[in-house]
Amino acid sequence: DTQGFDLGLQTLETGTDARVFLGSTDPAKAILLQSSTNTMDQVISGVTIDLNATNEEPIELTISRDTTAFEAAVNEFVTAFNGIIQRIDDQSKYDQATKRKGVLLGDGTVQSIRQNLFSAVQDDGTGLTGTFKYLTQVGIGFSDGKLSLNRDRFRAALEEDFDAVKDIFSARVQETGSEFQPIQGLQGASVKISQDDRGFTKLGVVGALEEIIKDYVDSIDGSLTKRSEAITSQIEFTDSPRFNAI
């Protein structure tokens, strides 16, 4: 709005919508797509098309899945797993040269955690129905006691069945149904089941690892939680006047 003043402005070129013919080089047979910008994001679900220049010749559009982020996340998972195992081993070993004992040497709970972690990454998860069910099938296995990623095998598996590979890592579907479970031996009596206590109809490796850790560190009945509480109680007892009077 120039408020009635003549600013000498001129329209050099009138803007028009971007137009693309899809499906045929013959405009009469093709589908005309229009956009007020040079970006089209509603033509193909999940795909954004940037129109950078005009062209009279037909252009072939090839769409492929970008798996770079997925592969990076899997590599981080492998590194994190090895880091946890290394820390457990460092604190559980006996150094013959220095005669130094790890603070967790002979600790049954820690060794149980280690064993369960190894079992989880070698298991086939729960309810997986795709082409792949084991990490070893998609290029992730053990070498010299450490988890390793074969990138070529992993990429080939993604090409063959992306969803199956994704499910190995991220599948997590809990059981549905009544939130109350009957108490055996007590007719008409039932107990309410919390969401966390429901089982899984589908669970991948990462989910299985999370459930294992939860079993140990759960704030109410986790094994490590109970052990920590027992040690704390023992310390409090030894510091009490009653103990010192004995």
Side-chain angles (χ1 to χ4, degrees):
D1 186 357
T2 62
Q3 302 287 333
F5 294 99
D6 184 4
L7 302 180
L9 301 178
Q10 296 181 0
T11 301
L12 299 179
E13 186 175 352
T14 302
T16 59
D17 288 348
R19 298 181 179 183
V20 174
F21 289 100
L22 178 67
S24 175
T25 56
D26 183 355
K29 298 179 180 179
I31 301 173
L32 174 61
L33 306 175
Q34 291 183 259
S35 174
S36 58
T37 69
N38 286 338
T39 298
M40 294 187 171
D41 56 10
Q42 297 182 344
V43 179
I44 304 172
S45 178
V47 176
T48 297
I49 303 173
D50 292 322
L51 307 176
N52 298 318
T54 58
N55 199 322
E56 297 296 331
E57 298 297 321
I59 297 175
E60 181 177 344
L61 182 64
T62 301
I63 299 172
S64 61
R65 190 181 269 114
D66 183 5
T67 60
T68 304
F70 191 177
E71 184 174 324
V74 170
N75 192 57
E76 289 177 6
F77 163 76
V78 170
T79 300
F81 181 89
N82 288 333
I84 292 173
I85 298 301
Q86 186 62 55
R87 291 187 66 180
I88 291 175
D89 290 347
D90 287 343
Q91 299 302 320
S92 304
K93 68 182 181 181
Y94 175 74
D95 192 318
Q96 186 68 37
T98 62
K99 309 298 182 183
R100 179 183 174 275
K101 296 180 180 180
V103 294
L104 300 175
L105 180 65
D107 189 298
T109 301
V110 172
Q111 293 306 311
S112 175
I113 293 175
R114 187 182 191 279
Q115 181 178 348
N116 287 336
L117 291 177
F118 269 95
S119 295
V121 295
Q122 296 178 83
D123 197 7
D124 61 348
T126 300
L128 302 182
T129 58
T131 306
F132 309 113
K133 300 180 178 65
Y134 295 88
L135 287 177
T136 53
Q137 294 176 318
V138 299
I140 302 170
F142 287 99
S143 176
D144 297 326
K146 292 185 177 181
L147 206 59
S148 62
L149 171 63
N150 182 321
R151 296 181 183 275
D152 291 337
R153 180 69 190 95
F154 180 74
R155 292 167 185 170
L158 289 177
E159 286 289 330
E160 184 175 348
D161 193 339
F162 179 87
D163 289 335
V165 179
K166 182 181 69 174
D167 278 350
I168 290 178
F169 289 95
S170 62
R172 191 181 186 89
V173 181
Q174 284 191 285
E175 294 176 345
T176 58
S178 174
E179 61 177 344
F180 292 94
Q181 179 178 341
I183 300 177
Q184 189 174 4
L186 295 177
Q187 187 174 2
S190 60
V191 61
K192 187 174 183 178
I193 308 172
S194 70
Q195 186 69 16
D196 289 340
D197 290 334
R198 293 178 182 271
F200 294 90
T201 57
K202 199 172 187 179
L203 188 66
V205 171
V206 173
L209 289 171
E210 290 173 346
E211 291 302 306
I212 289 172
I213 298 300
K214 188 176 76 172
D215 286 343
Y216 286 100
V217 301
D218 186 274
S219 60
I220 297 176
D221 59 1
S223 300
L224 292 180
T225 301
K226 289 183 176 180
R227 183 175 176 187
S228 176
E229 291 173 348
I231 294 174
T232 301
S233 297
Q234 185 175 1
I235 293 173
E236 291 174 349
F237 176 73
T238 56
D239 287 341
S240 67
R242 179 184 175 187
F243 176 84
N244 293 325
I246 298 177

